[in-house]
Amino acid sequence: MAHGVKDKSRVRLNQTLHGYSDGHRQLASSIALKPKDIKTMLVLSDISGPGARISEEGYLTGYPLPESGMYALARTWLAPEMSRPGCVWTHTILIDYADLATFESYDSLLKLFRRPIESKVSDYNEPITITKNGLDKGFDVFALVWAQKVVEGLYGSPKSKIVAQRNSTFNVDEVVLAIWFQQWPRLRRAFRFCTFSSSDRSIEGNVFDLQILPSNDRTIRSRFSNSLDADNSVKTEGRWLDTALNDLFGPDNLGLRTFLRFIGGDIASGRSAFRPLCELSLLTESFDKRPEAIEEAVQLLEAEFGPAQAKAARAYVAEAALSNIEKINDHSIDFIFSNLELIPEKISLEHYREIGLVLWKRNRYQFFNLINGSGILSSIAETLLQTLPALELIEAIKELPQLAKLVIRFRKDILAEKEFWRVYSSLRHGFTLADVEGKLSKKTLVAIISAQRIDLATEAIRYFGPVTTLEILGENSLSEDQAYLFLWVEFAAADCEAVSEYLLNETQKSKYMIYALSKYIYPDQIKSRSGSDPWIKSYQAATGGIPKDAETYLNSFLLSRALGGASSSSAELACISFMSVHSAAENSRISGEAWGLLDSRLPSTYFWLDWDKCQRIRAGVIDLFVERQLHPMAFAMLTTSQSLFRLLITQAHRSGRGRDYLKQVWYLLQNSSDSRFEEQLNDIKKILKSW
C-alpha cells in the first residue's frame, strides 16, 4: 500500500477483558474509559443472572458507552476453572460510534472473540486491527419464524422491553446480530441486547431492548416485569414486516437497508421509527407510478415524526414531490414549501419556475409575501417574478394594487407597458410610484402617453423634460389618437425654449407634431437662432401627411411668422406657405382660426373689398418682399402658377417702390441661366414697359 493511503476496509478496535480475581473485575484494557462507562461494563460483563446455565459458546451482550462514544459488543463464557462458582470471562470489543456505522457484516466481529487462557491476559491490553468485510451466514426457516416474532415485537411495540425464548435449533446469537446490523447507525449504537438473560439487565434507566431467555421457566420470566413476550405478542398488520424480514435474511436485496442508513441519521425516536421508515420505503417505490403515494408519505412523516427530526426523510419525499409537482395535491405542495430548505442543491432553475408557478397560481398575495422573506422560497419567488410575462404581473397588480411597489422593484420593464398605467388610472401619484431607483427609460414615458394618462403629464414632463417628451410625442407611432396628443403637446409646449430646441434637433418628427405645436405657440414666440429658423428646419424634415385643413392652418401659421418680426428667414417661410394659403382662401377653405393668424398682419383695404382674402394675402406678401427688400429670387419662387404670379407683379407695379423691386427681380432673372423663370421674366418685362 502506498505511504499515507488509509485502507478503508480495515479498522482499529479496542478491547477489554473482565473476569474473576478477588471478585469480578476488569483484568485488561487497551483504552482508558470514562468512570461511568467502566462501572457499566463491570456490571454488564458479569453473569446475566442467578442460576444461568451458560452453554459452552457463551452469549452476547451489546450496549452503548455514551460517555466514551463507543459501543460495547461482548461475549461471556462460564469460567468453571475458577474456584468460585458462577465466575465468567467476558471479552468486550469496543467500537467507536463512527466505525460502527461502517460495518456491514457482523461475521468479522464474531471472529474476534477469544476465551482467555490465564497466562495470556496481557494480550487484551493492545488494540486489534481487523478487516470489516465478512460473509454473514444464511438462516433456515426456523430462524425466520423466530426472527419474525422478535422483529414484530421490537418495532410493533417500540416502547416495550422485548423478551424471547432461546431456541436451540439455530444460532440465536447470529440472528440477533443480524437484527442489530439491519438497523441504521444511530439506532444501532443505542440498541441494547443480551442473548442469554436469566434476569432483567436493565440498569440505571438504561433499558435493554431485547433479551433472550434461556428457557420457558416461569420463575425466570417473572424477573422481567413490564416486558413484552415476543412469543405471545399480538400480531401486527402491514407490509412493513415482510419488507423487514426480506431485508433481514437478504441484506439490502430491495434497498431497504441503504434507505434506512440514508434516512435514519437524524431520527432520535429510536425503535419507534423503524416501522414507519419501512412503510416509507415501500411508498417510495411507487412515487413515479402512483403520485398519491407521495401524499401518503407526507401524511406518514407528519404523523410519526416531529418537525425537528427526519430531515433526510423529509428531504427525500420533498424531492420526489418536487418532481411530480403538477400531479400532487395542495397538502403535498405545502409539504414541499415547508421543506425546500432541506434540498437546495436538488432544485434546478426549472424547478424554481415550476414551484414559483404553483405558488403564483394558488395565492398571489402569499407569493409576494415570500419575496419579502428570506431563504430558498424567497429566491424561488424572486426568480419567477423576473420571468413572468409582464401582462400577467399587471393583472395581479390589478387585483392587488398594494403589490405594485414590490413588483416594480424586480421588474422595471412593466413600466414600459401601457397596461400598467391603465391599471393605475385611479392612482393619483402613479408616476411617483414608478420612480423607485435611478432613471427610468423613455419607454416608460411612451407607456404613460399610450395609456392616455394625461393626469400624469405635468409630473412626467418634469421628470423626463419637455424636449424628451416632445421627441416621443413626435414619433409617428404615438399620433394615432390626435386629440389626446394635443393635450400632451399643450403641457410640453409651455416651455418655449424647449420647443425651440426640439424643433432644431435632429430627431425624427412627424408633420402632425409640427402642426400640433403650431396650435399652442404664437408665430413670433420663438426667435430664429444663428440665422436658422426652427420652424423651417423641422417642417422640411418632417415626415407623414396631415389633413388639408391642418395643412392650411400650419401654412397660415408659417406665413404669419414670415409676416412677423421673429424670423430671419421670412422669404423662405413665405415661399413654403404662400401658395397653399392663397389656394385655400381662393377656394374658401381657410378656417376662421387660420385666418385669425393672418388677419391682423395683412394690409387693410376698402371695407367693401375686405371680403377678398386672396387680395389681402397677395398685398401682404408683396409688402413683405418690397418693404424688407427680401431676395428677388425668393419672390420669383413664391408660386409655380403663372396666373398667380401675374397677379402678384400687377399689384406690386402699383407703387413706385414695388416697381423698383420688380426691376431687381427682372435684372436677377435676366442674368440667371435657369430656364424655369423665362415666363416670369417676360411677364415682368411687359408690365414694366407698360408704365
Side-chain angles (χ1 to χ4, degrees):
M1 183 183 301
H3 178 69
V5 178
K6 184 177 180 181
D7 185 357
K8 294 183 179 180
S9 67
R10 298 179 64 79
V11 64
R12 187 170 180 266
L13 303 175
N14 285 290
Q15 59 181 333
T16 65
L17 179 67
H18 287 77
Y20 183 78
S21 178
D22 292 330
H24 185 75
R25 66 181 61 201
Q26 178 181 292
L27 303 177
S29 178
S30 65
I31 187 173
L33 299 171
K34 302 292 183 181
K36 188 174 181 179
D37 292 335
I38 291 174
K39 181 180 178 181
T40 299
M41 290 189 71
L42 185 63
V43 174
L44 293 179
S45 62
D46 204 352
I47 195 165
S48 61
R53 297 180 180 181
I54 305 172
S55 63
E56 185 177 343
E57 65 272 15
Y59 62 86
L60 296 176
T61 305
Y63 53 93
L65 298 173
E67 297 291 324
S68 302
M70 294 183 177
Y71 191 89
L73 181 63
R75 184 175 284 282
T76 301
W77 300 270
L78 198 61
E81 64 268 31
M82 296 296 176
S83 58
R84 181 179 175 180
C87 291
V88 293
W89 298 106
T90 297
H91 180 200
T92 304
I93 306 298
L94 299 173
I95 311 169
D96 190 273
Y97 282 166
D99 291 328
L100 185 63
T102 65
F103 280 91
E104 296 182 4
S105 167
Y106 58 81
D107 178 64
S108 57
L109 289 175
L110 283 178
K111 292 177 180 178
L112 293 177
F113 292 117
R114 295 170 295 148
R115 192 177 187 280
I117 301 173
E118 194 168 345
S119 59
K120 296 284 187 177
V121 168
S122 60
D123 291 348
Y124 297 90
N125 285 320
E126 298 296 328
I128 51 179
T129 301
I130 67 163
T131 301
K132 291 185 289 185
N133 299 329
L135 183 63
D136 297 338
K137 298 177 182 179
F139 300 103
D140 59 23
V141 66
F142 298 104
L144 177 61
V145 172
W146 186 86
Q148 178 176 347
K149 295 178 181 179
V150 173
V151 169
E152 190 172 16
L154 280 172
Y155 307 124
S157 302
K159 302 298 182 182
S160 301
K161 297 183 292 185
I162 306 300
V163 297
Q165 184 179 348
R166 193 173 178 87
N167 194 310
S168 59
T169 59
F170 55 87
N171 191 322
V172 170
D173 289 358
E174 292 183 354
V175 175
V176 172
L177 283 179
I179 292 172
W180 179 52
F181 261 77
Q182 185 184 39
Q183 297 169 352
W184 57 93
R186 186 166 183 171
L187 176 57
R188 187 187 295 178
R189 74 188 190 198
F191 192 69
R192 295 177 176 84
F193 66 89
C194 181
T195 62
F196 193 95
S197 296
S198 58
S199 64
D200 193 350
R201 311 203 71 187
S202 303
I203 56 172
E204 297 183 4
N206 295 325
V207 176
F208 264 65
D209 298 273
L210 175 63
Q211 299 181 85
I212 309 303
L213 310 186
S215 69
N216 200 21
D217 190 324
R218 290 184 179 180
T219 303
I220 293 177
R221 285 186 179 267
S222 66
R223 300 171 186 167
F224 295 85
S225 60
N226 300 319
S227 296
L228 178 68
D229 189 340
D231 296 312
N232 300 315
S233 62
V234 178
K235 292 186 177 182
T236 59
E237 297 181 358
R239 292 174 56 202
W240 74 271
L241 184 57
D242 292 335
T243 301
L245 292 172
N246 187 300
D247 178 84
L248 185 65
F249 292 100
D252 217 27
N253 59 356
L254 295 178
L256 174 64
R257 197 161 302 201
T258 297
F259 179 80
L260 292 177
R261 289 178 183 176
F262 172 71
I263 295 299
D266 65 336
I267 294 178
S269 52
R271 285 159 44 197
S272 297
F274 189 92
R275 176 176 177 174
L277 288 184
C278 286
E279 293 173 346
L280 181 62
S281 176
L282 286 169
L283 288 171
T284 62
E285 295 174 5
S286 56
F287 278 174
D288 293 334
K289 300 177 183 177
R290 197 170 61 88
E292 56 267 28
I294 295 174
E295 170 62 14
E296 295 170 17
V298 169
Q299 292 176 347
L300 176 67
L301 286 172
E302 292 177 341
E304 299 289 346
F305 303 102
Q309 64 172 333
K311 291 183 178 179
R314 292 175 185 278
Y316 190 91
V317 175
E319 185 181 347
L322 185 59
S323 299
N324 293 273
I325 196 166
E326 297 297 333
K327 303 175 184 177
I328 58 179
N329 61 20
D330 285 353
H331 185 216
S332 296
I333 290 172
D334 287 335
F335 181 83
I336 294 176
F337 299 154
S338 300
N339 294 278
L340 279 176
E341 299 288 349
L342 301 177
I343 53 169
E345 72 282 356
K346 301 289 185 181
I347 305 176
S348 65
L349 287 177
E350 185 57 34
H351 281 139
Y352 269 45
R353 180 167 175 79
E354 289 179 2
I355 299 168
L357 279 173
V358 170
L359 270 172
W360 177 256
K361 292 174 182 177
R362 292 178 73 207
N363 189 326
R364 290 177 179 176
Y365 191 79
Q366 180 189 39
F367 175 89
F368 285 108
N369 280 339
L370 288 174
I371 295 177
N372 285 324
S374 60
I376 194 169
L377 277 175
S378 175
S379 299
I380 286 171
E382 184 177 332
T383 298
L384 181 69
L385 187 59
Q386 291 170 345
T387 60
L388 278 171
L391 292 180
E392 195 167 341
L393 287 171
I394 292 166
E395 281 300 310
I397 293 173
K398 189 175 182 179
E399 296 173 13
L400 300 165
Q402 65 270 34
L403 301 177
K405 287 185 179 179
L406 191 59
V407 174
I408 293 168
R409 196 173 87 207
F410 294 96
R411 289 289 299 276
K412 280 190 171 41
D413 59 299
I414 71 165
L415 300 176
E417 298 288 339
K418 64 181 180 181
E419 293 302 324
F420 171 78
W421 298 103
R422 286 178 176 170
V423 164
Y424 269 83
S425 60
S426 62
L427 185 66
R428 184 177 179 185
H429 298 297
F431 186 75
T432 304
L433 172 65
D435 190 8
V436 283
E437 289 178 10
K439 291 293 181 182
L440 301 174
S441 72
K442 292 180 181 179
K443 291 181 180 179
T444 301
L445 181 56
V446 173
I448 294 171
I449 295 171
S450 299
Q452 299 196 355
R453 288 300 305 276
I454 194 62
D455 57 312
L456 297 179
T458 302
E459 187 79 18
I461 293 168
R462 182 163 54 247
Y463 183 91
F464 288 98
V467 175
T468 298
T469 305
L470 290 171
E471 288 173 354
I472 290 173
L473 290 169
E475 295 177 0
N476 289 326
S477 59
L478 292 177
S479 62
E480 295 176 2
D481 187 341
Q482 309 301 355
Y484 180 67
L485 173 66
F486 271 63
L487 294 174
W488 275 87
V489 170
E490 182 178 5
F491 281 103
D495 186 337
C496 291
E497 286 298 317
V499 174
S500 178
E501 183 180 340
Y502 166 68
L503 292 173
L504 287 169
N505 68 29
E506 301 298 328
T507 57
Q508 179 183 345
K509 302 172 182 66
S510 68
K511 185 172 285 188
Y512 204 96
M513 182 62 183
I514 306 302
Y515 161 65
L517 281 171
S518 72
K519 300 283 284 186
Y520 300 103
I521 299 290
Y522 294 115
D524 291 342
Q525 202 166 355
I526 296 175
K527 306 296 182 181
S528 291
R529 289 187 179 182
S530 302
S532 178
D533 189 300
W535 290 98
I536 292 176
K537 182 175 181 180
S538 60
Y539 181 86
Q540 291 175 337
T543 59
I546 55 177
K548 286 185 177 181
D549 57 341
E551 184 80 46
T552 300
Y553 181 90
L554 179 56
N555 280 289
S556 298
F557 176 90
L558 296 177
L559 184 56
S560 176
R561 180 172 174 78
L563 296 170
S567 176
S568 61
S569 304
S570 295
E572 193 172 356
L573 284 168
C575 288
I576 291 172
S577 59
F578 166 71
M579 193 170 177
S580 173
V581 174
H582 189 278
S583 176
E586 188 176 31
N587 292 287
S588 301
R589 288 190 292 100
I590 189 166
S591 66
E593 187 180 17
W595 182 249
L597 295 171
L598 296 167
D599 189 24
S600 63
R601 296 189 171 187
L602 296 175
S604 297
T605 184
Y606 299 108
F607 71 89
W608 59 83
L609 295 176
D610 204 40
W611 60 270
D612 190 351
K613 293 182 174 66
C614 291
Q615 191 276 333
R616 291 187 65 196
I617 292 170
R618 293 194 300 272
V621 170
I622 291 168
D623 285 352
L624 172 66
F625 277 81
V626 172
E627 297 300 325
R628 299 187 192 178
Q629 289 293 293
L630 300 181
H631 200 286
M633 184 60 75
F635 183 84
M637 298 176 66
L638 275 171
T639 177
T640 57
S641 168
Q642 199 59 34
S643 60
L644 179 55
F645 185 76
R646 292 190 188 106
L647 290 174
L648 285 170
I649 62 176
T650 299
Q651 192 157 348
H653 189 258
R654 292 174 183 166
S655 70
R657 296 193 67 183
R659 289 190 293 273
D660 290 341
Y661 184 77
L662 288 178
K663 289 176 183 179
Q664 294 178 43
V665 176
W666 179 83
Y667 180 80
L668 184 64
L669 294 180
Q670 187 179 28
N671 290 286
S672 172
S673 59
D674 194 336
S675 60
R676 290 181 303 163
F677 301 109
E678 187 175 344
E679 287 191 44
Q680 285 95 324
L681 183 62
N682 291 332
D683 286 339
I684 295 173
K685 183 179 180 180
K686 287 179 183 179
I687 200 166
L688 288 174
K689 282 184 177 181
S690 68
W691 180 259

